[in-house]
Amino acid sequence: MVGEDAAFEAIASAIDPASVPRHVAIIMDGNGRWANARGLHRTQGHAAGEPALFDVVHGALALGIEWLTVYTFSTENWARDAYEVDFLMEFNVDLLERRRDELDDLGVRVVFAGDRSDPRIPGAVLDRMRIAEHQTRDNTAMTMVFAFNYGGRAEIVDAVRAIAKAVERDEIDPEQIGHDTIASHLYVPDMPDPDVVIRTSGEHRTSNFLLWESAYSEYVFTEVLWPEFDRMELARCVVEFQGRERRFGGAEDESGLTGVDG
Ligand code: IPE
Ligand code: IPE
Ligand code: MG
């Protein structure tokens, strides 16, 4: 553990504290392949992803990251076989039950992004979500967003539907609809856009993650399978992010760049 701490410090010392990403979002992928490679069931790969996730939470806090979003279940993951889907639902209940106090003690505010009205989500899962959000609502060390039953297209559809209803009630003038109108109707309205989106397991696609929010995010891809990811890997990804030049549509070396909404 001491060795690991020293290794983390060594990588973290290469990070410029002045430009730590404010919001890191992670597509935690590769659990099934990690398990298959060991002759285990896919679900054991998901279980092996839990210590990886909590090591990353500690690393994110140590680095001063303010927002950490993790993709835990996509709107497309219902297509998996019932055994795996049931496992993931149970696992989420169990994880929130076991880890809620730990997250609270760390000062982490827990929020969920996704479609909660889906009747396929067991009531026990919705209850645990509400309890975790309520218990941690005043925490300020970091906000952790669990993207659960999350789909980027579904999120935009839900926002459009809410805006259409507001137009119908004469609360929004269609001529005044702008980027900010959409952004304020997303699942977590106060969430800043991710500065960096990390995807593990060597896949190079978004898989419907944060479509609106990641318009100008940097993508960092790593071959590491999620159960083998840890705070050291997180720190390496932050170093890679800091080596990028973000332009937001401006020209090279231009100063005073602003975001698309700015
Ligand atoms: C990611 O790991 C976790 C979830 C999608 C819930 P996978 O289960 O997708 O693992 P691979 O991609 O099959 O290896
Ligand atoms: C994305 O991974 C969803 C999560 C990590 C929860 P998937 O494994 O479901 O994505 P695809 O199917 O490879 O695109
Ligand atoms: Mg996958």
Short mmCIF file of all heavy atoms in Angstrom, two decimals, residues 143-198:
data_model
loop_
_atom_site.label_atom_id
_atom_site.label_comp_id
_atom_site.label_asym_id
_atom_site.label_seq_id
_atom_site.Cartn_x
_atom_site.Cartn_y
_atom_site.Cartn_z
N THR A 143 -18.63 15.83 -6.27
CA THR A 143 -19.93 15.28 -6.65
C THR A 143 -19.67 14.07 -7.54
O THR A 143 -18.90 14.14 -8.50
CB THR A 143 -20.78 16.30 -7.41
OG1 THR A 143 -21.05 17.41 -6.55
CG2 THR A 143 -22.11 15.69 -7.87
N MET A 144 -20.30 12.95 -7.17
CA MET A 144 -20.14 11.73 -7.97
C MET A 144 -21.48 11.43 -8.63
O MET A 144 -22.49 11.25 -7.95
CB MET A 144 -19.73 10.59 -7.05
CG MET A 144 -19.37 9.34 -7.79
SD MET A 144 -18.55 8.22 -6.65
CE MET A 144 -18.44 6.78 -7.71
N VAL A 145 -21.46 11.41 -9.95
CA VAL A 145 -22.68 11.16 -10.71
C VAL A 145 -22.66 9.72 -11.20
O VAL A 145 -21.75 9.32 -11.93
CB VAL A 145 -22.79 12.11 -11.93
CG1 VAL A 145 -24.10 11.87 -12.67
CG2 VAL A 145 -22.66 13.57 -11.51
N PHE A 146 -23.64 8.95 -10.78
CA PHE A 146 -23.80 7.59 -11.28
C PHE A 146 -24.75 7.67 -12.48
O PHE A 146 -25.93 7.96 -12.31
CB PHE A 146 -24.39 6.67 -10.21
CG PHE A 146 -23.45 6.32 -9.09
CD1 PHE A 146 -23.25 7.20 -8.02
CD2 PHE A 146 -22.75 5.12 -9.08
CE1 PHE A 146 -22.38 6.88 -6.98
CE2 PHE A 146 -21.88 4.79 -8.04
CZ PHE A 146 -21.69 5.67 -6.99
N ALA A 147 -24.22 7.44 -13.68
CA ALA A 147 -25.06 7.42 -14.87
C ALA A 147 -25.69 6.03 -14.94
O ALA A 147 -25.04 5.06 -15.32
CB ALA A 147 -24.24 7.73 -16.11
N PHE A 148 -26.93 5.95 -14.50
CA PHE A 148 -27.61 4.66 -14.34
C PHE A 148 -28.91 4.69 -15.14
O PHE A 148 -29.70 5.61 -15.00
CB PHE A 148 -27.88 4.41 -12.85
CG PHE A 148 -28.66 3.16 -12.59
CD1 PHE A 148 -28.04 1.91 -12.63
CD2 PHE A 148 -30.02 3.22 -12.33
CE1 PHE A 148 -28.76 0.75 -12.41
CE2 PHE A 148 -30.75 2.06 -12.11
CZ PHE A 148 -30.12 0.82 -12.15
N ASN A 149 -29.12 3.68 -15.94
CA ASN A 149 -30.18 3.70 -16.96
C ASN A 149 -30.06 5.01 -17.74
O ASN A 149 -31.04 5.71 -17.98
CB ASN A 149 -31.58 3.54 -16.36
CG ASN A 149 -32.59 3.16 -17.43
OD1 ASN A 149 -32.25 2.52 -18.44
ND2 ASN A 149 -33.83 3.56 -17.26
N TYR A 150 -28.83 5.31 -18.08
CA TYR A 150 -28.51 6.55 -18.78
C TYR A 150 -28.30 6.29 -20.28
O TYR A 150 -27.63 5.32 -20.67
CB TYR A 150 -27.22 7.18 -18.21
CG TYR A 150 -26.84 8.42 -19.00
CD1 TYR A 150 -27.37 9.66 -18.66
CD2 TYR A 150 -26.04 8.31 -20.13
CE1 TYR A 150 -27.09 10.77 -19.41
CE2 TYR A 150 -25.76 9.43 -20.90
CZ TYR A 150 -26.29 10.65 -20.54
OH TYR A 150 -26.03 11.75 -21.30
N GLY A 151 -28.85 7.17 -21.09
CA GLY A 151 -28.56 7.19 -22.52
C GLY A 151 -28.53 8.64 -22.94
O GLY A 151 -29.40 9.43 -22.55
N GLY A 152 -27.54 9.03 -23.71
CA GLY A 152 -27.42 10.42 -24.13
C GLY A 152 -28.59 10.87 -24.99
O GLY A 152 -29.09 11.99 -24.86
N ARG A 153 -29.05 9.97 -25.88
CA ARG A 153 -30.20 10.34 -26.72
C ARG A 153 -31.47 10.44 -25.87
O ARG A 153 -32.26 11.36 -26.04
CB ARG A 153 -30.36 9.33 -27.85
CG ARG A 153 -29.29 9.48 -28.89
CD ARG A 153 -29.50 8.56 -30.05
NE ARG A 153 -28.59 8.89 -31.14
CZ ARG A 153 -28.54 8.24 -32.29
NH1 ARG A 153 -29.32 7.19 -32.51
NH2 ARG A 153 -27.69 8.61 -33.22
N ALA A 154 -31.64 9.48 -24.96
CA ALA A 154 -32.83 9.52 -24.09
C ALA A 154 -32.83 10.81 -23.27
O ALA A 154 -33.88 11.43 -23.05
CB ALA A 154 -32.85 8.31 -23.16
N GLU A 155 -31.64 11.23 -22.81
CA GLU A 155 -31.54 12.46 -22.01
C GLU A 155 -32.00 13.67 -22.82
O GLU A 155 -32.74 14.53 -22.32
CB GLU A 155 -30.09 12.65 -21.54
CG GLU A 155 -29.91 13.89 -20.67
CD GLU A 155 -28.50 14.04 -20.15
OE1 GLU A 155 -27.54 13.75 -20.90
OE2 GLU A 155 -28.36 14.45 -18.98
N ILE A 156 -31.58 13.72 -24.08
CA ILE A 156 -31.98 14.85 -24.93
C ILE A 156 -33.48 14.78 -25.24
O ILE A 156 -34.18 15.79 -25.20
CB ILE A 156 -31.10 14.91 -26.21
CG1 ILE A 156 -29.64 15.22 -25.82
CG2 ILE A 156 -31.63 15.96 -27.18
CD1 ILE A 156 -28.62 15.04 -26.93
N VAL A 157 -33.98 13.57 -25.50
CA VAL A 157 -35.42 13.41 -25.74
C VAL A 157 -36.22 13.88 -24.52
O VAL A 157 -37.19 14.63 -24.65
CB VAL A 157 -35.76 11.93 -26.08
CG1 VAL A 157 -37.27 11.68 -26.02
CG2 VAL A 157 -35.21 11.55 -27.44
N ASP A 158 -35.78 13.48 -23.33
CA ASP A 158 -36.48 13.88 -22.10
C ASP A 158 -36.45 15.40 -21.93
O ASP A 158 -37.44 16.01 -21.51
CB ASP A 158 -35.86 13.20 -20.87
CG ASP A 158 -36.26 11.73 -20.76
OD1 ASP A 158 -37.18 11.30 -21.50
OD2 ASP A 158 -35.66 11.01 -19.94
N ALA A 159 -35.31 16.01 -22.27
CA ALA A 159 -35.20 17.47 -22.16
C ALA A 159 -36.14 18.14 -23.15
O ALA A 159 -36.86 19.10 -22.80
CB ALA A 159 -33.75 17.91 -22.42
N VAL A 160 -36.17 17.64 -24.38
CA VAL A 160 -37.03 18.23 -25.41
C VAL A 160 -38.50 18.12 -25.00
O VAL A 160 -39.28 19.08 -25.14
CB VAL A 160 -36.80 17.54 -26.78
CG1 VAL A 160 -37.87 17.93 -27.78
CG2 VAL A 160 -35.40 17.90 -27.31
N ARG A 161 -38.84 16.98 -24.43
CA ARG A 161 -40.23 16.78 -23.99
C ARG A 161 -40.60 17.79 -22.90
O ARG A 161 -41.68 18.41 -22.94
CB ARG A 161 -40.40 15.35 -23.49
CG ARG A 161 -41.84 14.94 -23.30
CD ARG A 161 -41.96 13.48 -22.90
NE ARG A 161 -41.66 12.57 -23.98
CZ ARG A 161 -40.90 11.47 -23.85
NH1 ARG A 161 -40.35 11.17 -22.70
NH2 ARG A 161 -40.68 10.68 -24.89
N ALA A 162 -39.71 17.97 -21.94
CA ALA A 162 -39.98 18.92 -20.84
C ALA A 162 -40.08 20.34 -21.39
O ALA A 162 -40.95 21.12 -20.95
CB ALA A 162 -38.87 18.82 -19.79
N ILE A 163 -39.23 20.67 -22.35
CA ILE A 163 -39.27 22.02 -22.92
C ILE A 163 -40.57 22.22 -23.70
O ILE A 163 -41.22 23.27 -23.60
CB ILE A 163 -38.02 22.27 -23.80
CG1 ILE A 163 -36.75 22.30 -22.92
CG2 ILE A 163 -38.15 23.56 -24.61
CD1 ILE A 163 -35.45 22.17 -23.69
N ALA A 164 -40.98 21.19 -24.45
CA ALA A 164 -42.23 21.29 -25.23
C ALA A 164 -43.41 21.54 -24.30
O ALA A 164 -44.30 22.35 -24.61
CB ALA A 164 -42.44 20.01 -26.04
N LYS A 165 -43.40 20.86 -23.14
CA LYS A 165 -44.49 21.06 -22.18
C LYS A 165 -44.48 22.48 -21.64
O LYS A 165 -45.53 23.09 -21.44
CB LYS A 165 -44.40 20.05 -21.04
CG LYS A 165 -44.83 18.65 -21.47
CD LYS A 165 -44.71 17.68 -20.31
CE LYS A 165 -45.06 16.27 -20.75
NZ LYS A 165 -44.54 15.24 -19.82
N ALA A 166 -43.27 23.01 -21.39
CA ALA A 166 -43.15 24.38 -20.89
C ALA A 166 -43.60 25.38 -21.94
O ALA A 166 -44.18 26.42 -21.62
CB ALA A 166 -41.71 24.65 -20.44
N VAL A 167 -43.36 25.07 -23.21
CA VAL A 167 -43.83 25.94 -24.30
C VAL A 167 -45.36 25.94 -24.32
O VAL A 167 -46.00 26.99 -24.42
CB VAL A 167 -43.26 25.48 -25.66
CG1 VAL A 167 -43.98 26.16 -26.83
CG2 VAL A 167 -41.75 25.74 -25.74
N GLU A 168 -45.92 24.74 -24.16
CA GLU A 168 -47.37 24.59 -24.16
C GLU A 168 -48.02 25.42 -23.04
O GLU A 168 -49.09 25.99 -23.21
CB GLU A 168 -47.70 23.10 -23.94
CG GLU A 168 -48.90 22.60 -24.70
CD GLU A 168 -48.95 21.08 -24.64
OE1 GLU A 168 -48.77 20.50 -23.54
OE2 GLU A 168 -49.15 20.46 -25.69
N ARG A 169 -47.32 25.48 -21.91
CA ARG A 169 -47.84 26.26 -20.77
C ARG A 169 -47.48 27.74 -20.87
O ARG A 169 -47.66 28.49 -19.91
CB ARG A 169 -47.25 25.70 -19.45
CG ARG A 169 -47.73 24.32 -19.06
CD ARG A 169 -47.30 23.97 -17.63
NE ARG A 169 -45.86 24.04 -17.43
CZ ARG A 169 -45.04 22.98 -17.51
NH1 ARG A 169 -45.51 21.78 -17.77
NH2 ARG A 169 -43.75 23.13 -17.31
N ASP A 170 -46.90 28.12 -22.02
CA ASP A 170 -46.46 29.52 -22.24
C ASP A 170 -45.36 29.96 -21.29
O ASP A 170 -45.21 31.16 -21.03
CB ASP A 170 -47.65 30.50 -22.12
CG ASP A 170 -48.49 30.49 -23.39
OD1 ASP A 170 -47.94 30.21 -24.46
OD2 ASP A 170 -49.71 30.75 -23.28
N GLU A 171 -44.58 29.02 -20.77
CA GLU A 171 -43.49 29.38 -19.86
C GLU A 171 -42.19 29.63 -20.62
O GLU A 171 -41.28 30.26 -20.11
CB GLU A 171 -43.28 28.28 -18.82
CG GLU A 171 -44.41 28.20 -17.79
CD GLU A 171 -44.39 26.91 -16.99
OE1 GLU A 171 -43.38 26.17 -17.03
OE2 GLU A 171 -45.40 26.63 -16.32
N ILE A 172 -42.09 29.06 -21.81
CA ILE A 172 -40.90 29.25 -22.63
C ILE A 172 -41.36 29.70 -24.02
O ILE A 172 -42.27 29.13 -24.60
CB ILE A 172 -40.08 27.94 -22.75
CG1 ILE A 172 -39.47 27.55 -21.40
CG2 ILE A 172 -38.96 28.08 -23.80
CD1 ILE A 172 -38.67 26.24 -21.41
N ASP A 173 -40.69 30.77 -24.51
CA ASP A 173 -40.95 31.25 -25.87
C ASP A 173 -40.02 30.46 -26.81
O ASP A 173 -38.80 30.49 -26.64
CB ASP A 173 -40.62 32.75 -25.89
CG ASP A 173 -40.62 33.32 -27.31
OD1 ASP A 173 -40.93 32.59 -28.27
OD2 ASP A 173 -40.29 34.52 -27.43
N PRO A 174 -40.56 29.75 -27.79
CA PRO A 174 -39.71 28.93 -28.67
C PRO A 174 -38.55 29.71 -29.30
O PRO A 174 -37.47 29.16 -29.49
CB PRO A 174 -40.68 28.45 -29.76
CG PRO A 174 -42.02 28.51 -29.14
CD PRO A 174 -41.98 29.63 -28.14
N GLU A 175 -38.76 31.00 -29.55
CA GLU A 175 -37.69 31.82 -30.13
C GLU A 175 -36.52 31.99 -29.18
O GLU A 175 -35.40 32.30 -29.59
CB GLU A 175 -38.23 33.22 -30.50
CG GLU A 175 -39.20 33.23 -31.66
CD GLU A 175 -38.61 32.63 -32.94
OE1 GLU A 175 -37.39 32.79 -33.16
OE2 GLU A 175 -39.36 32.00 -33.68
N GLN A 176 -36.79 31.82 -27.89
CA GLN A 176 -35.74 32.04 -26.88
C GLN A 176 -34.98 30.76 -26.52
O GLN A 176 -34.09 30.78 -25.69
CB GLN A 176 -36.35 32.62 -25.59
CG GLN A 176 -37.07 33.95 -25.79
CD GLN A 176 -36.16 35.02 -26.33
OE1 GLN A 176 -35.02 35.16 -25.89
NE2 GLN A 176 -36.63 35.76 -27.34
N ILE A 177 -35.36 29.63 -27.14
CA ILE A 177 -34.69 28.36 -26.81
C ILE A 177 -33.26 28.40 -27.31
O ILE A 177 -33.01 28.66 -28.49
CB ILE A 177 -35.45 27.15 -27.40
CG1 ILE A 177 -36.82 27.02 -26.71
CG2 ILE A 177 -34.63 25.86 -27.22
CD1 ILE A 177 -37.71 25.95 -27.32
N GLY A 178 -32.32 28.19 -26.38
CA GLY A 178 -30.90 28.18 -26.75
C GLY A 178 -30.19 27.01 -26.09
O GLY A 178 -30.82 26.16 -25.47
N HIS A 179 -28.86 27.00 -26.22
CA HIS A 179 -28.06 25.93 -25.59
C HIS A 179 -28.40 25.81 -24.10
O HIS A 179 -28.52 24.71 -23.58
CB HIS A 179 -26.57 26.24 -25.71
CG HIS A 179 -26.05 26.15 -27.11
ND1 HIS A 179 -24.72 26.27 -27.41
CD2 HIS A 179 -26.66 25.96 -28.29
CE1 HIS A 179 -24.53 26.16 -28.71
NE2 HIS A 179 -25.71 25.98 -29.28
N ASP A 180 -28.52 26.98 -23.45
CA ASP A 180 -28.74 26.95 -22.00
C ASP A 180 -30.10 26.35 -21.66
O ASP A 180 -30.26 25.73 -20.60
CB ASP A 180 -28.59 28.36 -21.41
CG ASP A 180 -29.47 29.39 -22.12
OD1 ASP A 180 -29.79 29.17 -23.31
OD2 ASP A 180 -29.87 30.37 -21.48
N THR A 181 -31.09 26.51 -22.54
CA THR A 181 -32.41 25.92 -22.28
C THR A 181 -32.30 24.40 -22.25
O THR A 181 -32.83 23.73 -21.37
CB THR A 181 -33.43 26.31 -23.37
OG1 THR A 181 -33.23 27.66 -23.74
CG2 THR A 181 -34.86 26.08 -22.92
N ILE A 182 -31.59 23.86 -23.25
CA ILE A 182 -31.40 22.40 -23.29
C ILE A 182 -30.61 21.97 -22.05
O ILE A 182 -31.04 21.06 -21.32
CB ILE A 182 -30.61 21.97 -24.55
CG1 ILE A 182 -31.26 22.50 -25.84
CG2 ILE A 182 -30.41 20.45 -24.57
CD1 ILE A 182 -32.37 21.68 -26.41
N ALA A 183 -29.49 22.66 -21.80
CA ALA A 183 -28.60 22.25 -20.69
C ALA A 183 -29.34 22.25 -19.35
O ALA A 183 -29.13 21.37 -18.52
CB ALA A 183 -27.38 23.16 -20.63
N SER A 184 -30.24 23.22 -19.17
CA SER A 184 -30.92 23.30 -17.88
C SER A 184 -32.05 22.28 -17.73
O SER A 184 -32.65 22.17 -16.67
CB SER A 184 -31.46 24.72 -17.64
OG SER A 184 -32.48 25.01 -18.58
N HIS A 185 -32.32 21.53 -18.81
CA HIS A 185 -33.33 20.46 -18.72
C HIS A 185 -32.71 19.07 -18.77
O HIS A 185 -33.42 18.08 -18.93
CB HIS A 185 -34.38 20.63 -19.82
CG HIS A 185 -35.32 21.77 -19.56
ND1 HIS A 185 -35.03 23.07 -19.89
CD2 HIS A 185 -36.54 21.81 -18.95
CE1 HIS A 185 -36.02 23.86 -19.53
NE2 HIS A 185 -36.95 23.13 -18.95
N LEU A 186 -31.39 18.98 -18.67
CA LEU A 186 -30.74 17.66 -18.64
C LEU A 186 -30.91 17.05 -17.25
O LEU A 186 -31.40 17.70 -16.33
CB LEU A 186 -29.27 17.80 -19.05
CG LEU A 186 -29.05 18.33 -20.48
CD1 LEU A 186 -27.56 18.53 -20.76
CD2 LEU A 186 -29.68 17.42 -21.54
N TYR A 187 -30.48 15.79 -17.09
CA TYR A 187 -30.75 15.08 -15.83
C TYR A 187 -30.12 15.78 -14.62
O TYR A 187 -30.69 15.78 -13.54
CB TYR A 187 -30.23 13.64 -15.91
CG TYR A 187 -30.98 12.76 -16.88
CD1 TYR A 187 -30.30 11.98 -17.81
CD2 TYR A 187 -32.37 12.69 -16.86
CE1 TYR A 187 -30.98 11.15 -18.69
CE2 TYR A 187 -33.06 11.86 -17.74
CZ TYR A 187 -32.36 11.09 -18.65
OH TYR A 187 -33.04 10.28 -19.52
N VAL A 188 -28.91 16.31 -14.77
CA VAL A 188 -28.24 16.98 -13.64
C VAL A 188 -27.91 18.41 -14.10
O VAL A 188 -26.83 18.67 -14.61
CB VAL A 188 -26.95 16.24 -13.21
CG1 VAL A 188 -26.36 16.87 -11.96
CG2 VAL A 188 -27.23 14.75 -12.97
N PRO A 189 -28.87 19.33 -13.94
CA PRO A 189 -28.71 20.67 -14.52
C PRO A 189 -27.47 21.42 -14.05
O PRO A 189 -26.93 22.23 -14.80
CB PRO A 189 -29.99 21.40 -14.10
CG PRO A 189 -30.98 20.32 -13.81
CD PRO A 189 -30.18 19.16 -13.30
N ASP A 190 -27.01 21.17 -12.83
CA ASP A 190 -25.84 21.92 -12.35
C ASP A 190 -24.51 21.26 -12.72
O ASP A 190 -23.45 21.74 -12.33
CB ASP A 190 -25.92 22.16 -10.83
CG ASP A 190 -25.90 20.88 -10.01
OD1 ASP A 190 -26.43 19.85 -10.47
OD2 ASP A 190 -25.34 20.90 -8.88
N MET A 191 -24.57 20.17 -13.46
CA MET A 191 -23.32 19.46 -13.81
C MET A 191 -22.55 20.21 -14.91
O MET A 191 -23.10 20.48 -15.97
CB MET A 191 -23.67 18.05 -14.31
CG MET A 191 -22.46 17.19 -14.63
SD MET A 191 -22.96 15.51 -15.13
CE MET A 191 -23.18 15.76 -16.89
N PRO A 192 -21.28 20.55 -14.65
CA PRO A 192 -20.50 21.18 -15.72
C PRO A 192 -20.17 20.15 -16.80
O PRO A 192 -20.16 18.95 -16.52
CB PRO A 192 -19.22 21.64 -15.01
CG PRO A 192 -19.09 20.77 -13.81
CD PRO A 192 -20.49 20.33 -13.41
N ASP A 193 -19.91 20.59 -18.02
CA ASP A 193 -19.53 19.65 -19.07
C ASP A 193 -18.25 18.93 -18.66
O ASP A 193 -17.37 19.54 -18.04
CB ASP A 193 -19.28 20.40 -20.39
CG ASP A 193 -20.57 20.93 -21.02
OD1 ASP A 193 -21.66 20.48 -20.61
OD2 ASP A 193 -20.47 21.78 -21.92
N PRO A 194 -18.11 17.66 -19.01
CA PRO A 194 -16.85 16.99 -18.65
C PRO A 194 -15.68 17.57 -19.43
O PRO A 194 -15.79 17.85 -20.62
CB PRO A 194 -17.10 15.52 -19.04
CG PRO A 194 -18.23 15.54 -20.00
CD PRO A 194 -19.04 16.77 -19.71
N ASP A 195 -14.56 17.78 -18.74
CA ASP A 195 -13.35 18.22 -19.43
C ASP A 195 -12.73 17.05 -20.16
O ASP A 195 -12.17 17.20 -21.23
CB ASP A 195 -12.36 18.79 -18.41
CG ASP A 195 -12.97 19.96 -17.68
OD1 ASP A 195 -13.15 21.00 -18.32
OD2 ASP A 195 -13.33 19.81 -16.49
N VAL A 196 -12.83 15.89 -19.54
CA VAL A 196 -12.24 14.70 -20.14
C VAL A 196 -13.17 13.51 -19.95
O VAL A 196 -13.81 13.36 -18.91
CB VAL A 196 -10.83 14.43 -19.54
CG1 VAL A 196 -10.86 14.33 -18.04
CG2 VAL A 196 -10.19 13.19 -20.13
N VAL A 197 -13.29 12.71 -21.00
CA VAL A 197 -14.04 11.44 -20.93
C VAL A 197 -13.02 10.32 -21.14
O VAL A 197 -12.31 10.30 -22.15
CB VAL A 197 -15.14 11.36 -22.00
CG1 VAL A 197 -15.86 10.00 -21.92
CG2 VAL A 197 -16.15 12.50 -21.85
N ILE A 198 -12.94 9.44 -20.18
CA ILE A 198 -12.01 8.30 -20.25
C ILE A 198 -12.81 7.06 -20.62
O ILE A 198 -13.89 6.84 -20.10
CB ILE A 198 -11.34 8.07 -18.87
CG1 ILE A 198 -10.50 9.29 -18.46
CG2 ILE A 198 -10.50 6.79 -18.87
CD1 ILE A 198 -10.07 9.28 -16.99
#
